[in-house]
Amino acid sequence: MKKLFTLLLLFISIQMIAKKPDSRYYELRVYYCHPGRLDALIQRFTNHTTKIFEKHGMTNVGYWIPNNNEKNALYYILSYPNQVERDSSWKRFGRDPEWREVARKSEESGKIVAKVESTFMMATDFSPKIKPSSKSVDRAIELRTYTATPNNIDNILARFRNHTTKLFKKHGMTNIAYFKTIEKDPSVQPRLVYLLAHNSEAAGKASFDEFRKDPNWIKARDESEKNGKIVDKVESIYMHPTTFSTIR
């Protein structure tokens, strides 16, 4: 009886740990390179930058290059324990002699990065556990961003939580991560940012075609929009992982 009780307590503890919310502070960074300099950036990340990030307490979540990359961009996500640690890590990184020497040498032929965009995020309560891919096979990674109509971000989140993510899975899409943005201006409504994986870009588009025709999706969409549209804008970018990305 005592052994059974101990096993029951262990099971409950495991369940509680499994359901512990992800409180990490995430950052989506987009680097736009000067013409012809993306390869130099990739080489710098491959050989140096990711390791120096880890040295200063940053977690490399994933690195991807857009399939249609007219802007010479690299997209990547880092995570930190919290905002304070994020700011502290970047200060240490910027002062690191190893990084300064790497940056100097890599830019002997000219500047690499023309512009950096940064978006801060928290994982939603329905996001899968965000972890490295279990397989080394490269997939098409789709980054999607939803901007809600006024006061409707919670309705979008509810629709995803209760219906959309399950229907994505039904139609062959892999849910990787779901985030809610942290806006600098508290009066600005957060956006939903999420990552899906597909066997290919074509497969992803075919899955969405089937998803949109699904009667269960149509029912969930119409019910959520009985008082009006809840999504103002949807942005989608298909990408492929770099050789050093842990999510691929």
Side-chain angles (χ1 to χ4, degrees):
M1 187 70 179
K2 183 178 180 182
K3 185 177 180 180
L4 180 62
F5 181 70
T6 302
L7 289 172
L8 180 61
L9 286 177
L10 179 61
F11 175 77
I12 293 172
S13 298
I14 292 173
Q15 291 296 104
M16 289 178 67
I17 292 172
K19 293 180 180 179
K20 185 178 179 181
D22 185 350
S23 61
R24 288 177 291 176
Y25 193 73
Y26 288 90
E27 184 175 8
L28 168 64
R29 295 176 66 85
V30 185
Y31 285 14
Y32 298 97
C33 294
H34 290 287
R37 299 295 281 156
L38 178 60
D39 287 346
L41 179 68
I42 296 301
Q43 184 177 9
R44 190 166 75 185
F45 269 89
T46 302
N47 299 327
H48 305 285
T49 312
T50 57
K51 300 177 184 67
I52 302 175
F53 280 169
E54 291 174 353
K55 173 183 174 182
H56 292 291
M58 310 182 203
T59 299
N60 297 293
V61 176
Y63 291 80
W64 310 279
I65 299 170
N67 293 351
N68 180 10
N69 201 13
E70 295 177 352
K71 296 182 179 180
N72 299 309
L74 170 69
Y75 284 67
Y76 70 96
I77 295 177
L78 299 173
S79 74
Y80 321 88
N82 51 55
Q83 182 181 358
V84 172
E85 287 297 322
R86 182 268 173 198
D87 295 343
S88 177
S89 290
W90 275 99
K91 286 179 182 177
R92 294 195 303 272
F93 173 82
R95 295 194 298 260
D96 190 305
E98 179 186 2
W99 161 245
R100 289 187 174 186
E101 180 63 12
V102 165
R104 185 190 67 78
K105 285 187 176 181
S106 67
E107 295 182 345
E108 286 178 343
S109 299
K111 291 289 184 181
I112 293 176
V113 179
K115 183 175 70 171
V116 176
E117 291 179 352
S118 182
T119 302
F120 298 108
M121 311 178 296
M122 298 294 289
T124 67
D125 60 351
F126 55 86
S127 179
K129 185 177 181 181
I130 302 168
K131 58 185 180 181
S133 301
S134 59
K135 298 180 180 179
S136 59
V137 177
D138 288 355
R139 299 170 292 177
I141 304 299
E142 185 181 7
L143 174 69
R144 294 175 68 87
T145 303
Y146 283 32
T147 301
T149 54
N151 303 313
N152 271 316
I153 185 60
D154 288 339
N155 289 325
I156 291 177
L157 296 176
R159 189 166 76 185
F160 270 83
R161 182 185 299 110
N162 299 327
H163 304 286
T164 312
T165 56
K166 301 177 184 68
L167 291 169
F168 281 170
K169 186 176 180 180
K170 173 184 174 182
H171 290 285
M173 310 182 215
T174 300
N175 298 295
I176 294 180
Y178 288 83
F179 306 99
K180 187 168 70 170
T181 63
I182 302 169
E183 302 295 336
K184 292 180 181 179
D185 183 347
S187 67
V188 175
Q189 189 173 212
R191 292 163 290 150
L192 171 65
V193 176
Y194 65 97
L195 294 167
L196 297 174
H198 313 281
N199 289 334
S200 66
E201 181 173 341
K205 291 176 179 178
S207 291
F208 264 103
D209 286 342
E210 293 303 311
F211 164 81
R212 294 186 183 101
K213 293 185 291 187
D214 190 311
N216 291 325
W217 159 245
I218 294 171
K219 180 181 178 181
R221 180 200 63 196
D222 291 349
E223 177 62 24
S224 67
E225 296 182 347
K226 60 187 178 183
N227 295 319
K229 295 288 185 181
I230 63 175
V231 178
D232 179 55
K233 181 171 66 171
V234 176
E235 300 165 88
S236 170
I237 301 171
Y238 280 91
M239 309 180 293
H240 55 276
T242 64
T243 57
F244 51 88
S245 179
T246 58
I247 294 179
R248 43 194 321 111

PDB file of all heavy atoms in Angstrom, residues 131-157:
ATOM      1  N   LYS A 131      11.214  22.849 -27.953  1.00  0.00           N
ATOM      2  CA  LYS A 131      12.442  22.078 -27.758  1.00  0.00           C
ATOM      3  C   LYS A 131      13.077  21.756 -29.112  1.00  0.00           C
ATOM      4  O   LYS A 131      12.435  21.889 -30.150  1.00  0.00           O
ATOM      5  CB  LYS A 131      12.118  20.786 -27.012  1.00  0.00           C
ATOM      6  CG  LYS A 131      11.088  19.914 -27.713  1.00  0.00           C
ATOM      7  CD  LYS A 131      10.705  18.708 -26.886  1.00  0.00           C
ATOM      8  CE  LYS A 131       9.667  17.850 -27.612  1.00  0.00           C
ATOM      9  NZ  LYS A 131       9.271  16.680 -26.812  1.00  0.00           N
ATOM     10  N   PRO A 132      14.342  21.314 -29.115  1.00  0.00           N
ATOM     11  CA  PRO A 132      15.003  20.955 -30.373  1.00  0.00           C
ATOM     12  C   PRO A 132      14.260  19.844 -31.099  1.00  0.00           C
ATOM     13  O   PRO A 132      13.594  19.005 -30.473  1.00  0.00           O
ATOM     14  CB  PRO A 132      16.398  20.489 -29.918  1.00  0.00           C
ATOM     15  CG  PRO A 132      16.610  21.166 -28.604  1.00  0.00           C
ATOM     16  CD  PRO A 132      15.255  21.238 -27.958  1.00  0.00           C
ATOM     17  N   SER A 133      14.387  19.814 -32.414  1.00  0.00           N
ATOM     18  CA  SER A 133      13.752  18.768 -33.203  1.00  0.00           C
ATOM     19  C   SER A 133      14.394  17.418 -32.882  1.00  0.00           C
ATOM     20  O   SER A 133      15.597  17.328 -32.653  1.00  0.00           O
ATOM     21  CB  SER A 133      13.915  19.068 -34.697  1.00  0.00           C
ATOM     22  OG  SER A 133      13.341  20.308 -35.021  1.00  0.00           O
ATOM     23  N   SER A 134      13.575  16.389 -32.863  1.00  0.00           N
ATOM     24  CA  SER A 134      14.075  15.046 -32.551  1.00  0.00           C
ATOM     25  C   SER A 134      14.717  14.384 -33.755  1.00  0.00           C
ATOM     26  O   SER A 134      15.447  13.416 -33.620  1.00  0.00           O
ATOM     27  CB  SER A 134      12.930  14.175 -32.029  1.00  0.00           C
ATOM     28  OG  SER A 134      11.894  14.091 -32.994  1.00  0.00           O
ATOM     29  N   LYS A 135      14.443  14.898 -34.961  1.00  0.00           N
ATOM     30  CA  LYS A 135      15.012  14.339 -36.185  1.00  0.00           C
ATOM     31  C   LYS A 135      15.846  15.398 -36.897  1.00  0.00           C
ATOM     32  O   LYS A 135      15.610  16.594 -36.755  1.00  0.00           O
ATOM     33  CB  LYS A 135      13.893  13.837 -37.103  1.00  0.00           C
ATOM     34  CG  LYS A 135      13.055  12.715 -36.505  1.00  0.00           C
ATOM     35  CD  LYS A 135      11.971  12.275 -37.480  1.00  0.00           C
ATOM     36  CE  LYS A 135      11.128  11.159 -36.874  1.00  0.00           C
ATOM     37  NZ  LYS A 135      10.050  10.723 -37.790  1.00  0.00           N
ATOM     38  N   SER A 136      16.815  14.937 -37.666  1.00  0.00           N
ATOM     39  CA  SER A 136      17.711  15.860 -38.367  1.00  0.00           C
ATOM     40  C   SER A 136      17.221  16.208 -39.774  1.00  0.00           C
ATOM     41  O   SER A 136      17.870  16.942 -40.501  1.00  0.00           O
ATOM     42  CB  SER A 136      19.118  15.253 -38.471  1.00  0.00           C
ATOM     43  OG  SER A 136      19.085  14.013 -39.170  1.00  0.00           O
ATOM     44  N   VAL A 137      16.067  15.655 -40.163  1.00  0.00           N
ATOM     45  CA  VAL A 137      15.529  15.930 -41.500  1.00  0.00           C
ATOM     46  C   VAL A 137      14.996  17.359 -41.541  1.00  0.00           C
ATOM     47  O   VAL A 137      14.191  17.767 -40.696  1.00  0.00           O
ATOM     48  CB  VAL A 137      14.404  14.932 -41.850  1.00  0.00           C
ATOM     49  CG1 VAL A 137      13.808  15.259 -43.205  1.00  0.00           C
ATOM     50  CG2 VAL A 137      14.944  13.504 -41.844  1.00  0.00           C
ATOM     51  N   ASP A 138      15.435  18.122 -42.524  1.00  0.00           N
ATOM     52  CA  ASP A 138      14.993  19.512 -42.656  1.00  0.00           C
ATOM     53  C   ASP A 138      13.548  19.577 -43.138  1.00  0.00           C
ATOM     54  O   ASP A 138      13.161  18.851 -44.054  1.00  0.00           O
ATOM     55  CB  ASP A 138      15.883  20.272 -43.634  1.00  0.00           C
ATOM     56  CG  ASP A 138      17.251  20.547 -43.047  1.00  0.00           C
ATOM     57  OD1 ASP A 138      17.457  20.237 -41.864  1.00  0.00           O
ATOM     58  OD2 ASP A 138      18.109  21.081 -43.774  1.00  0.00           O
ATOM     59  N   ARG A 139      12.764  20.450 -42.523  1.00  0.00           N
ATOM     60  CA  ARG A 139      11.387  20.692 -42.936  1.00  0.00           C
ATOM     61  C   ARG A 139      11.239  22.154 -43.333  1.00  0.00           C
ATOM     62  O   ARG A 139      12.108  22.975 -43.054  1.00  0.00           O
ATOM     63  CB  ARG A 139      10.424  20.361 -41.791  1.00  0.00           C
ATOM     64  CG  ARG A 139      10.464  18.913 -41.340  1.00  0.00           C
ATOM     65  CD  ARG A 139       9.668  18.721 -40.051  1.00  0.00           C
ATOM     66  NE  ARG A 139      10.308  19.394 -38.925  1.00  0.00           N
ATOM     67  CZ  ARG A 139       9.803  19.437 -37.699  1.00  0.00           C
ATOM     68  NH1 ARG A 139       8.646  18.834 -37.438  1.00  0.00           N
ATOM     69  NH2 ARG A 139      10.445  20.073 -36.730  1.00  0.00           N
ATOM     70  N   ALA A 140      10.137  22.459 -43.982  1.00  0.00           N
ATOM     71  CA  ALA A 140       9.809  23.857 -44.262  1.00  0.00           C
ATOM     72  C   ALA A 140       9.189  24.431 -42.994  1.00  0.00           C
ATOM     73  O   ALA A 140       8.225  23.881 -42.461  1.00  0.00           O
ATOM     74  CB  ALA A 140       8.841  23.953 -45.431  1.00  0.00           C
ATOM     75  N   ILE A 141       9.757  25.508 -42.500  1.00  0.00           N
ATOM     76  CA  ILE A 141       9.260  26.162 -41.292  1.00  0.00           C
ATOM     77  C   ILE A 141       8.469  27.394 -41.716  1.00  0.00           C
ATOM     78  O   ILE A 141       8.982  28.239 -42.459  1.00  0.00           O
ATOM     79  CB  ILE A 141      10.416  26.559 -40.366  1.00  0.00           C
ATOM     80  CG1 ILE A 141      11.294  25.348 -40.022  1.00  0.00           C
ATOM     81  CG2 ILE A 141       9.874  27.233 -39.100  1.00  0.00           C
ATOM     82  CD1 ILE A 141      10.571  24.233 -39.282  1.00  0.00           C
ATOM     83  N   GLU A 142       7.245  27.475 -41.247  1.00  0.00           N
ATOM     84  CA  GLU A 142       6.400  28.617 -41.592  1.00  0.00           C
ATOM     85  C   GLU A 142       6.203  29.500 -40.366  1.00  0.00           C
ATOM     86  O   GLU A 142       5.747  29.034 -39.318  1.00  0.00           O
ATOM     87  CB  GLU A 142       5.048  28.151 -42.123  1.00  0.00           C
ATOM     88  CG  GLU A 142       4.162  29.298 -42.608  1.00  0.00           C
ATOM     89  CD  GLU A 142       2.810  28.847 -43.121  1.00  0.00           C
ATOM     90  OE1 GLU A 142       2.476  27.641 -42.989  1.00  0.00           O
ATOM     91  OE2 GLU A 142       2.056  29.700 -43.641  1.00  0.00           O
ATOM     92  N   LEU A 143       6.552  30.763 -40.505  1.00  0.00           N
ATOM     93  CA  LEU A 143       6.333  31.756 -39.449  1.00  0.00           C
ATOM     94  C   LEU A 143       5.088  32.547 -39.806  1.00  0.00           C
ATOM     95  O   LEU A 143       5.020  33.177 -40.865  1.00  0.00           O
ATOM     96  CB  LEU A 143       7.539  32.684 -39.356  1.00  0.00           C
ATOM     97  CG  LEU A 143       7.412  33.872 -38.387  1.00  0.00           C
ATOM     98  CD1 LEU A 143       7.407  33.380 -36.940  1.00  0.00           C
ATOM     99  CD2 LEU A 143       8.563  34.865 -38.607  1.00  0.00           C
ATOM    100  N   ARG A 144       4.095  32.509 -38.927  1.00  0.00           N
ATOM    101  CA  ARG A 144       2.839  33.209 -39.185  1.00  0.00           C
ATOM    102  C   ARG A 144       2.563  34.207 -38.067  1.00  0.00           C
ATOM    103  O   ARG A 144       2.769  33.906 -36.884  1.00  0.00           O
ATOM    104  CB  ARG A 144       1.679  32.208 -39.299  1.00  0.00           C
ATOM    105  CG  ARG A 144       1.813  31.306 -40.521  1.00  0.00           C
ATOM    106  CD  ARG A 144       0.733  30.237 -40.574  1.00  0.00           C
ATOM    107  NE  ARG A 144      -0.601  30.768 -40.807  1.00  0.00           N
ATOM    108  CZ  ARG A 144      -1.121  31.007 -42.012  1.00  0.00           C
ATOM    109  NH1 ARG A 144      -0.409  30.788 -43.106  1.00  0.00           N
ATOM    110  NH2 ARG A 144      -2.347  31.467 -42.130  1.00  0.00           N
ATOM    111  N   THR A 145       2.090  35.381 -38.449  1.00  0.00           N
ATOM    112  CA  THR A 145       1.786  36.445 -37.491  1.00  0.00           C
ATOM    113  C   THR A 145       0.359  36.922 -37.713  1.00  0.00           C
ATOM    114  O   THR A 145      -0.009  37.267 -38.839  1.00  0.00           O
ATOM    115  CB  THR A 145       2.762  37.628 -37.658  1.00  0.00           C
ATOM    116  OG1 THR A 145       4.103  37.159 -37.501  1.00  0.00           O
ATOM    117  CG2 THR A 145       2.473  38.707 -36.622  1.00  0.00           C
ATOM    118  N   TYR A 146      -0.432  36.922 -36.634  1.00  0.00           N
ATOM    119  CA  TYR A 146      -1.825  37.362 -36.712  1.00  0.00           C
ATOM    120  C   TYR A 146      -1.983  38.670 -35.940  1.00  0.00           C
ATOM    121  O   TYR A 146      -1.659  38.741 -34.754  1.00  0.00           O
ATOM    122  CB  TYR A 146      -2.769  36.328 -36.091  1.00  0.00           C
ATOM    123  CG  TYR A 146      -3.051  35.119 -36.960  1.00  0.00           C
ATOM    124  CD1 TYR A 146      -2.106  34.611 -37.834  1.00  0.00           C
ATOM    125  CD2 TYR A 146      -4.275  34.467 -36.880  1.00  0.00           C
ATOM    126  CE1 TYR A 146      -2.361  33.499 -38.610  1.00  0.00           C
ATOM    127  CE2 TYR A 146      -4.543  33.340 -37.656  1.00  0.00           C
ATOM    128  CZ  TYR A 146      -3.569  32.867 -38.523  1.00  0.00           C
ATOM    129  OH  TYR A 146      -3.815  31.753 -39.295  1.00  0.00           O
ATOM    130  N   THR A 147      -2.490  39.670 -36.632  1.00  0.00           N
ATOM    131  CA  THR A 147      -2.859  40.934 -36.000  1.00  0.00           C
ATOM    132  C   THR A 147      -4.371  40.934 -35.835  1.00  0.00           C
ATOM    133  O   THR A 147      -5.108  40.725 -36.807  1.00  0.00           O
ATOM    134  CB  THR A 147      -2.427  42.131 -36.862  1.00  0.00           C
ATOM    135  OG1 THR A 147      -1.007  42.075 -37.058  1.00  0.00           O
ATOM    136  CG2 THR A 147      -2.796  43.442 -36.182  1.00  0.00           C
ATOM    137  N   ALA A 148      -4.832  41.133 -34.614  1.00  0.00           N
ATOM    138  CA  ALA A 148      -6.268  41.069 -34.328  1.00  0.00           C
ATOM    139  C   ALA A 148      -6.957  42.389 -34.628  1.00  0.00           C
ATOM    140  O   ALA A 148      -6.334  43.461 -34.632  1.00  0.00           O
ATOM    141  CB  ALA A 148      -6.487  40.705 -32.865  1.00  0.00           C
ATOM    142  N   THR A 149      -8.245  42.312 -34.886  1.00  0.00           N
ATOM    143  CA  THR A 149      -9.059  43.517 -34.920  1.00  0.00           C
ATOM    144  C   THR A 149      -9.163  44.036 -33.479  1.00  0.00           C
ATOM    145  O   THR A 149      -8.842  43.310 -32.528  1.00  0.00           O
ATOM    146  CB  THR A 149     -10.450  43.224 -35.496  1.00  0.00           C
ATOM    147  OG1 THR A 149     -11.048  42.138 -34.757  1.00  0.00           O
ATOM    148  CG2 THR A 149     -10.369  42.833 -36.964  1.00  0.00           C
ATOM    149  N   PRO A 150      -9.563  45.278 -33.269  1.00  0.00           N
ATOM    150  CA  PRO A 150      -9.558  45.855 -31.916  1.00  0.00           C
ATOM    151  C   PRO A 150     -10.224  44.966 -30.864  1.00  0.00           C
ATOM    152  O   PRO A 150     -11.329  44.468 -31.047  1.00  0.00           O
ATOM    153  CB  PRO A 150     -10.325  47.166 -32.112  1.00  0.00           C
ATOM    154  CG  PRO A 150     -10.022  47.560 -33.515  1.00  0.00           C
ATOM    155  CD  PRO A 150      -9.991  46.260 -34.288  1.00  0.00           C
ATOM    156  N   ASN A 151      -9.474  44.738 -29.779  1.00  0.00           N
ATOM    157  CA  ASN A 151      -9.953  44.009 -28.594  1.00  0.00           C
ATOM    158  C   ASN A 151     -10.267  42.534 -28.865  1.00  0.00           C
ATOM    159  O   ASN A 151     -11.030  41.917 -28.114  1.00  0.00           O
ATOM    160  CB  ASN A 151     -11.204  44.687 -28.010  1.00  0.00           C
ATOM    161  CG  ASN A 151     -10.968  46.137 -27.656  1.00  0.00           C
ATOM    162  OD1 ASN A 151      -9.958  46.461 -27.021  1.00  0.00           O
ATOM    163  ND2 ASN A 151     -11.868  47.015 -28.072  1.00  0.00           N
ATOM    164  N   ASN A 152      -9.656  41.949 -29.878  1.00  0.00           N
ATOM    165  CA  ASN A 152      -9.993  40.567 -30.212  1.00  0.00           C
ATOM    166  C   ASN A 152      -8.833  39.572 -30.130  1.00  0.00           C
ATOM    167  O   ASN A 152      -8.996  38.417 -30.534  1.00  0.00           O
ATOM    168  CB  ASN A 152     -10.607  40.505 -31.616  1.00  0.00           C
ATOM    169  CG  ASN A 152     -12.115  40.689 -31.584  1.00  0.00           C
ATOM    170  OD1 ASN A 152     -12.802  40.111 -30.752  1.00  0.00           O
ATOM    171  ND2 ASN A 152     -12.623  41.518 -32.482  1.00  0.00           N
ATOM    172  N   ILE A 153      -7.696  39.973 -29.569  1.00  0.00           N
ATOM    173  CA  ILE A 153      -6.584  39.017 -29.485  1.00  0.00           C
ATOM    174  C   ILE A 153      -6.959  37.810 -28.617  1.00  0.00           C
ATOM    175  O   ILE A 153      -6.613  36.666 -28.939  1.00  0.00           O
ATOM    176  CB  ILE A 153      -5.287  39.687 -28.966  1.00  0.00           C
ATOM    177  CG1 ILE A 153      -4.123  38.679 -29.002  1.00  0.00           C
ATOM    178  CG2 ILE A 153      -5.486  40.275 -27.587  1.00  0.00           C
ATOM    179  CD1 ILE A 153      -3.793  38.124 -30.357  1.00  0.00           C
ATOM    180  N   ASP A 154      -7.704  38.035 -27.538  1.00  0.00           N
ATOM    181  CA  ASP A 154      -8.095  36.915 -26.678  1.00  0.00           C
ATOM    182  C   ASP A 154      -9.033  35.953 -27.405  1.00  0.00           C
ATOM    183  O   ASP A 154      -8.998  34.734 -27.173  1.00  0.00           O
ATOM    184  CB  ASP A 154      -8.753  37.418 -25.389  1.00  0.00           C
ATOM    185  CG  ASP A 154      -7.751  38.048 -24.439  1.00  0.00           C
ATOM    186  OD1 ASP A 154      -6.539  37.742 -24.568  1.00  0.00           O
ATOM    187  OD2 ASP A 154      -8.154  38.831 -23.571  1.00  0.00           O
ATOM    188  N   ASN A 155      -9.861  36.483 -28.284  1.00  0.00           N
ATOM    189  CA  ASN A 155     -10.750  35.616 -29.067  1.00  0.00           C
ATOM    190  C   ASN A 155      -9.957  34.773 -30.071  1.00  0.00           C
ATOM    191  O   ASN A 155     -10.279  33.607 -30.309  1.00  0.00           O
ATOM    192  CB  ASN A 155     -11.802  36.457 -29.797  1.00  0.00           C
ATOM    193  CG  ASN A 155     -12.824  37.044 -28.857  1.00  0.00           C
ATOM    194  OD1 ASN A 155     -13.186  36.414 -27.863  1.00  0.00           O
ATOM    195  ND2 ASN A 155     -13.293  38.248 -29.138  1.00  0.00           N
ATOM    196  N   ILE A 156      -8.909  35.358 -30.652  1.00  0.00           N
ATOM    197  CA  ILE A 156      -8.047  34.587 -31.548  1.00  0.00           C
ATOM    198  C   ILE A 156      -7.346  33.478 -30.770  1.00  0.00           C
ATOM    199  O   ILE A 156      -7.295  32.311 -31.203  1.00  0.00           O
ATOM    200  CB  ILE A 156      -7.008  35.495 -32.228  1.00  0.00           C
ATOM    201  CG1 ILE A 156      -7.694  36.438 -33.224  1.00  0.00           C
ATOM    202  CG2 ILE A 156      -5.945  34.661 -32.943  1.00  0.00           C
ATOM    203  CD1 ILE A 156      -6.738  37.410 -33.894  1.00  0.00           C
ATOM    204  N   LEU A 157      -6.803  33.815 -29.611  1.00  0.00           N
ATOM    205  CA  LEU A 157      -6.112  32.825 -28.794  1.00  0.00           C
ATOM    206  C   LEU A 157      -7.053  31.690 -28.390  1.00  0.00           C
ATOM    207  O   LEU A 157      -6.666  30.517 -28.409  1.00  0.00           O
ATOM    208  CB  LEU A 157      -5.505  33.485 -27.558  1.00  0.00           C
ATOM    209  CG  LEU A 157      -4.401  34.515 -27.815  1.00  0.00           C
ATOM    210  CD1 LEU A 157      -3.974  35.163 -26.509  1.00  0.00           C
ATOM    211  CD2 LEU A 157      -3.215  33.882 -28.509  1.00  0.00           C
TER     212      LEU A 157
END
